[in-house]
Amino acid sequence: MRLPTFILAFAVTALAALPASAETYKAPKALLKALYSYNTDNSDAEAPSPYSIFFSDHLNELLQADLDNTPEGEVGAIDFDPVIAGQDGTASDVRIGQPILLDDKAEVEVQFENGDEVTLFYTLVKEHGGWKVDDIANQKGDNPWSLSALLGNEQ
């Protein structure tokens, strides 16, 4: 009887350790709430981004291509955390706007504090039965950017 109990305990432990990639977000706000509460220490070290489980296949492909084309020891096209729009700090007082839906795409504005007030614009796509981040853009300030453009993909 001990062996079946051990196997059951092992199976439960293994399932609990599965990455959050199995998570499907049925609503854009649910995805963004999870993204902003995610601990990047739990990320897959082999993934192209600490946030890859939240990103679309297309965005992950762009990030992987950037990694593959960056010489060892150098920084790729993204030298900051796009989710907090900076190299340091954390997003506090996160406010997620009402999504604008069009078929399998959504546009959502997210505001938060990270030293200063930050406003990011998210493009989401429905993929694999749930919502995923397809692009992040900061259209304010002296240096507006979009993640896909920084990665060489003008959408």
Side-chain angles (χ1 to χ4, degrees):
M1 283 278 193
R2 284 187 163 182
L3 186 58
T5 303
F6 171 76
I7 292 171
L8 179 61
F10 180 76
V12 168
T13 303
L15 285 174
L18 284 175
S21 62
E23 186 76 33
T24 300
Y25 299 97
K26 298 293 183 184
K29 279 189 171 185
L31 168 69
L32 293 168
K33 283 179 185 176
L35 175 66
Y36 277 95
S37 64
Y38 183 66
N39 180 350
T40 57
D41 292 340
N42 297 330
S43 299
D44 177 359
E46 300 297 315
S49 164
Y51 304 106
S52 285
I53 61 171
F54 300 100
F55 289 172
S56 68
D57 291 344
H58 179 250
L59 185 53
N60 277 317
E61 287 168 7
L62 292 174
L63 289 160
Q64 187 62 54
D66 183 58
L67 283 175
D68 293 345
N69 293 317
T70 300
E72 192 168 329
E74 291 189 25
V75 177
I78 310 300
D79 63 349
F80 65 99
D81 184 333
V83 172
I84 63 167
Q87 292 178 333
D88 300 313
T90 59
S92 62
D93 190 27
V94 177
R95 298 169 310 280
I96 300 169
Q98 191 62 34
I100 299 169
L101 302 171
L102 182 60
D103 298 324
D104 287 344
K105 287 195 172 201
E107 298 287 331
V108 187
E109 181 179 300
V110 175
Q111 295 178 315
F112 57 88
E113 299 289 328
N114 185 8
D116 293 320
E117 176 76 17
V118 178
T119 301
L120 296 178
F121 299 92
Y122 280 80
T123 301
L124 309 179
V125 293
K126 240 185 191 177
E127 186 174 274
H128 307 295
W131 290 97
K132 297 285 187 173
V133 174
D134 200 45
D135 202 3
I136 305 171
N138 184 342
Q139 299 172 348
K140 297 186 176 185
D142 295 335
N143 298 307
W145 55 267
S146 83
L147 197 49
S148 61
L150 291 173
L151 293 166
N153 185 56
E154 299 293 331
Q155 289 187 341

